[in-house]
Amino acid sequence: MPVLRNLENKIAGVVEGTFNRVFRSEVRPLEIARKLAREMEEHRYPTLSRTYVPNEYRVFLSPRDRERFASYEDALAEELSGYLLEHARRERFALLSSPLIEFETDERLGLGEFGIETAVVEPEEPPPSYAPWSSAGADPEPVGHTMVFSPSQRLAGPPADVPAPRRQRALVIYNGRRLMVPPRGATLGRSRDCDIVIEDQNVSRRHAELRPGADGWVISDLGSTNGTRLNGRSVHGAAPLAPGDEIELGSAFVTFELE
């Protein structure tokens, strides 16, 4: 889905106009904004009544690009967060919190190259009430720690890859962060293309996957180099998961939970 033209004009006028004289590297704020919006759209997933999108975004820059505007990151991150929030409202996407933008340096990137990693992270504390999007006359609905507004048009039925309505929401806890698992499941690994990125050199690029099954959630190894262990036992095939289970991926540990 293309970025709405009026949003492009907004970001071009507000962000690019504000920062154009500061940012002289090949990477420009408008490019980052458009890519962030596209990543939001590509990583959306529907439930019965709304479509969730990532609420955390990590932008990886080359050392030279990062150095050129490092002192202005806070201002840029604020502008980009507002841009994504507006984009989510226009597209009727749901967010668990206001979008968080973080910048990091990646030595492997050259001047003008950048990458984006997304995540759906449940906030530790209930955020202030806000609407990721709204429709006229709609009343707010609480969903966990999220305040959203009901759409004027509901989905006629659940998508084929959405779990049953009564299925509990799955989460994994990694490095103290509570990461939501999409209803369709998630891949775990070192690659930024994975749904849940595990930053550990002993973890394969695509290491394991979590999937909903007929009797609950299961985990499977994806042919990783160092294997996957569940509560200390090697995983062969699809292994059933229970709340509190400890998953070992190489030398990294994550905990599976249900809500």
Side-chain angles (χ1 to χ4, degrees):
M1 298 171 62
V3 178
L4 295 177
R5 184 168 300 175
N6 59 331
L7 290 180
E8 290 185 348
N9 293 337
K10 176 184 176 182
I11 200 69
V14 177
V15 177
E16 191 73 1
T18 303
F19 296 99
N20 187 42
R21 286 176 294 179
V22 175
F23 300 103
R24 298 297 185 183
S25 67
E26 293 297 327
V27 175
R28 304 176 73 84
L30 183 56
E31 293 177 289
I32 297 175
R34 289 171 174 166
K35 180 62 175 177
L36 285 169
R38 190 172 72 180
E39 290 298 303
M40 171 182 280
E41 293 168 354
E42 290 183 353
H43 291 87
R44 67 188 186 274
Y45 63 92
T47 65
L48 293 178
S49 59
R50 56 186 60 86
T51 298
Y52 286 97
V53 290
N55 58 334
E56 288 197 2
Y57 299 80
R58 297 169 68 189
V59 180
F60 295 87
L61 300 166
S62 70
R64 289 181 61 191
D65 280 316
R66 181 87 187 277
E67 181 181 359
R68 293 197 179 196
F69 58 79
S71 61
Y72 300 87
E73 285 180 5
D74 290 344
L76 178 58
E78 184 178 351
E79 292 284 357
L80 293 173
S81 177
Y83 171 62
L84 285 182
L85 185 59
E86 179 68 16
H87 185 64
R89 285 175 174 152
R90 294 298 182 97
E91 297 295 323
R92 300 193 172 192
F93 294 149
L95 290 155
L96 291 181
S97 66
S98 183
L100 173 66
I101 314 295
E102 296 179 330
F103 293 92
E104 292 193 17
T105 301
D106 191 325
E107 301 287 343
R108 297 169 296 180
L109 297 174
L111 183 65
E113 298 178 336
F114 67 97
I116 295 175
E117 176 185 302
T118 66
V120 179
V121 179
E122 184 178 24
E124 294 182 1
E125 298 294 335
S129 299
Y130 77 100
W133 54 266
S134 61
S135 55
D139 295 323
E141 290 185 358
V143 179
H145 298 318
T146 309
M147 186 67 72
V148 298
F149 286 81
S150 300
S152 58
Q153 295 181 343
R154 293 286 186 176
L155 295 175
D161 59 345
V162 175
R166 296 184 181 275
R167 187 183 299 279
Q168 292 177 285
R169 185 170 61 177
L171 303 167
V172 295
I173 301 174
Y174 171 61
N175 277 350
R177 304 171 70 202
R178 295 166 61 84
L179 307 174
M180 180 185 293
V181 178
R184 68 181 186 281
T187 54
L188 296 83
R190 200 175 73 252
S191 171
R192 293 179 193 153
D193 293 330
C194 290
D195 299 295
I196 298 175
V197 178
I198 308 297
E199 296 180 338
D200 189 302
Q201 291 301 314
N202 293 311
V203 173
S204 297
R205 292 182 60 80
R206 289 174 55 85
H207 198 107
E209 66 176 356
L210 299 171
R211 289 287 180 266
D215 298 318
W217 288 85
V218 298
I219 185 167
S220 301
D221 187 79
L222 297 177
S224 64
T225 301
N226 294 316
T228 301
R229 299 174 67 86
L230 177 62
N231 298 324
R233 296 185 176 182
S234 296
V235 171
H236 302 286
L241 289 165
D245 279 350
E246 186 177 68
I247 302 169
E248 183 179 353
L249 310 169
S251 58
F253 292 86
V254 302
T255 303
F256 178 81
E257 293 289 353
L258 290 175
E259 286 191 348

